[in-house]
Amino acid sequence: MEVSRARIAGVNSRIKVVRTGLTASAALPGSPPGESLSGRHAASALPLDRIIPGDCLAELQRLPSQSVDLVFADPPYNLQLEGALTRPDHSQVDAVDDDWDKFDSFAEYDAFTRAWLAECRRVLKPDGALWVIGSYHNVFRVGAILQDLGYWILNDIVWRKANPMPNFRGRRFTNAHETLIWATPTRSKRYTFHYEALKGGNDDLQMRSDWFIPLCTGDERLKDADGRKVHPTQKPEALLARVLLSSSNPGDVVLDPFLGSGTSAAVAKKLGRRFIGIERDPVYAKAAQQRVDAVTPIDPQAFAAAPAKRSEPRVAFLSLIEAGLIAPGEMLEDERRRHKALVRADGTLQLGPAVGSIHKIGALSQGLPSCNGWTYWMIERDGQRLPIDALRGEYRQTHRAAA
């Protein structure tokens, strides 16, 4: 998280954002990103895999329009802390009290937020993704400004901290979570989302919008020569990995306008993404560069995007019968062995007097309006019970190799 106080001091007069919602370089809310009011953003080579020292607004304005696939932003939270925070034993808590997190008013904070979000919308591709993380101090203001600027909010994610800092004064609930907003710059439905991969890594259950991930601790936490934290709000790599794996592809460009300790850049390099980091604090920038330099990318096969099932060739159940993967007369069962259906030669199933598709009969057996028969019906092979979807996958592999 970083911010230029000098730039904020003149942001109202220079950008006119508090009342109008526009910046001198931002697209009009609702218009496609990249339609600049000034036209001064000429296409140029992106500074890939670089940490750029400087003010986020100034450096964002140097980037060409519609050139970035994903933005991860960890902006100042505007915590409004009053005085030092101490533990019951009177030791001082290493909390966020730096100048970059202090603003004179909500209007000043809103002006800054509107300015950098407008620039991010301009540099994002129409089907790109924006992730912003915040706390109750700022995330509601950020969300409203996102919508004012024409972003389309897809989800809010609750990051549940496994080891949150206690509420030492005992006057409020322990702040055990932060919120991430996932949005796209337009209402394009072609945004990247690796649903099947996330589900597969979550024991075949849909990934929920509450993520239980510990705070950054141990060897991952950057410390200076005196053993003090280099950055007070360093995010865990596991959090950034889930963000990038869910909504970006290998080779995509990841931009972080508030790079801080460099977590997003380090994870991007590790997962085969390109990165651009902006950081004005030279201490943070130096630590982030050292961190990124030490990263060894993992084997590309370990992060290659799995093909989405909806994009794979359609396979009819009858094709499995014709290929000899399932024989007419075999019986299919549901996972709990409550229902058995007969496989017919024409690719339909029979359950009692009812005959229909694998989906129709699956739904009928449960008294439901619909059912995914590929995952509902099971078959036994070599002493193991498998969903018939496994045989569909085998069919696809065989025919892909033959092609």
Side-chain angles (χ1 to χ4, degrees):
M1 298 192 291
E2 59 85 17
V3 63
S4 168
R5 297 281 302 197
R7 183 162 297 277
I8 284 298
V11 74
N12 289 342
S13 60
R14 182 176 63 81
I15 307 181
K16 298 181 181 178
V17 295
V18 175
R19 295 184 182 276
T20 66
L22 303 177
T23 70
S25 61
L28 287 165
S31 65
E35 291 187 359
S36 168
L37 297 180
S38 66
R40 65 179 171 19
H41 299 286
S44 61
L46 284 172
L48 294 176
D49 304 326
R50 283 183 50 199
I51 296 175
I52 304 170
D55 169 69
C56 69
L57 286 176
E59 298 305 326
L60 281 170
Q61 290 167 0
R62 300 178 193 275
L63 299 178
S65 299
Q66 298 188 17
S67 59
V68 170
D69 298 287
L70 183 145
V71 172
F72 178 83
D74 185 7
Y77 286 9
N78 194 23
L79 296 179
Q80 311 133 41
L81 293 180
E82 298 178 359
L85 183 60
T86 57
R87 299 181 178 88
D89 63 1
H90 304 296
S91 61
Q92 187 166 330
V93 177
D94 186 10
V96 180
D97 55 2
D98 305 81
D99 285 342
W100 48 255
D101 195 59
K102 296 175 183 176
F103 293 82
D104 292 334
S105 66
F106 286 125
E108 183 185 86
Y109 184 80
D110 290 351
F112 173 70
T113 300
R114 190 177 295 272
W116 71 260
L117 280 174
E119 283 299 322
C120 286
R121 185 167 185 256
R122 178 186 63 78
V123 303
L124 271 169
K125 295 176 182 178
D127 53 356
L130 173 86
W131 288 80
V132 185
I133 187 169
S135 69
Y136 69 88
H137 301 87
N138 72 323
V139 74
F140 304 108
R141 309 185 78 85
V142 170
I145 293 170
L146 276 171
Q147 292 179 317
D148 289 344
L149 289 174
Y151 284 90
W152 182 28
I153 295 178
L154 299 172
N155 272 118
D156 66 322
I157 306 294
V158 175
W159 168 31
R160 294 174 54 219
K161 302 174 183 178
N163 49 345
M165 181 185 295
N167 185 279
F168 294 109
R169 292 173 180 165
R171 302 291 294 174
R172 302 183 188 181
F173 295 108
T174 296
N175 292 326
H177 78 278
E178 292 182 33
T179 300
L180 297 95
I181 298 176
W182 174 34
T184 58
T186 69
R187 292 187 68 89
S188 169
K189 295 186 178 180
R190 297 194 304 165
Y191 57 86
T192 298
F193 181 49
H194 297 296
Y195 168 82
E196 286 88 1
L198 291 172
K199 183 178 178 182
N202 194 42
D203 295 334
D204 287 325
L205 298 174
Q206 288 187 352
M207 183 65 72
R208 292 162 46 117
S209 61
D210 54 334
W211 298 354
F212 189 62
I213 298 174
L215 287 167
C216 179
T217 58
D219 293 339
E220 188 180 322
R221 168 68 74 173
L222 301 188
K223 295 183 179 180
D224 61 19
D226 298 323
R228 294 174 300 189
K229 298 176 185 176
V230 170
H231 195 289
T233 63
Q234 181 179 336
K235 298 301 183 288
E237 291 191 5
L239 182 69
L240 269 295
R242 192 173 295 186
V243 167
L244 297 191
L245 289 171
S246 68
S247 53
S248 73
N249 296 302
D252 279 358
V253 177
V254 177
L255 167 66
D256 189 334
F258 309 97
L259 187 64
S261 60
T263 303
S264 62
V267 174
K269 181 179 178 181
K270 186 177 295 184
L271 296 178
R273 276 69 170 166
R274 313 301 298 272
F275 69 85
I276 302 170
I278 303 172
E279 177 53 55
R280 72 180 290 267
D281 187 301
V283 175
Y284 298 161
K286 181 180 179 181
Q289 188 65 64
Q290 292 173 341
R291 181 181 185 184
V292 170
D293 290 344
V295 169
T296 300
I298 63 178
D299 186 330
Q301 290 188 355
F303 58 70
K309 290 184 179 180
R310 68 190 66 182
S311 67
E312 293 183 326
R314 183 179 179 276
V315 176
F317 183 65
L318 177 61
S319 298
L320 304 189
I321 298 173
E322 294 170 340
L325 295 173
I326 296 179
E330 285 196 81
M331 301 297 292
L332 304 184
E333 294 181 314
D334 69 300
E335 186 174 13
R336 298 182 183 178
R337 302 181 186 271
R338 296 170 300 177
H339 307 288
K340 290 185 177 182
L342 176 72
V343 177
R344 290 163 44 92
D346 59 4
T348 59
L349 299 185
Q350 182 170 348
L351 180 67
V355 175
S357 70
I358 58 173
H359 311 296
K360 180 179 178 180
I361 297 301
L364 182 66
S365 71
Q366 302 173 84
L368 298 175
S370 62
C371 169
N372 182 350
W374 290 109
T375 56
Y376 177 73
W377 293 112
M378 312 286 288
I379 196 164
E380 189 162 320
R381 290 289 183 269
D382 299 325
Q384 290 186 317
R385 298 178 72 238
L386 303 170
I388 58 174
D389 193 37
L391 300 182
R392 181 170 62 163
E394 182 180 337
Y395 178 92
R396 283 180 173 139
Q397 284 289 100
T398 301
H399 285 72
R400 189 177 294 126

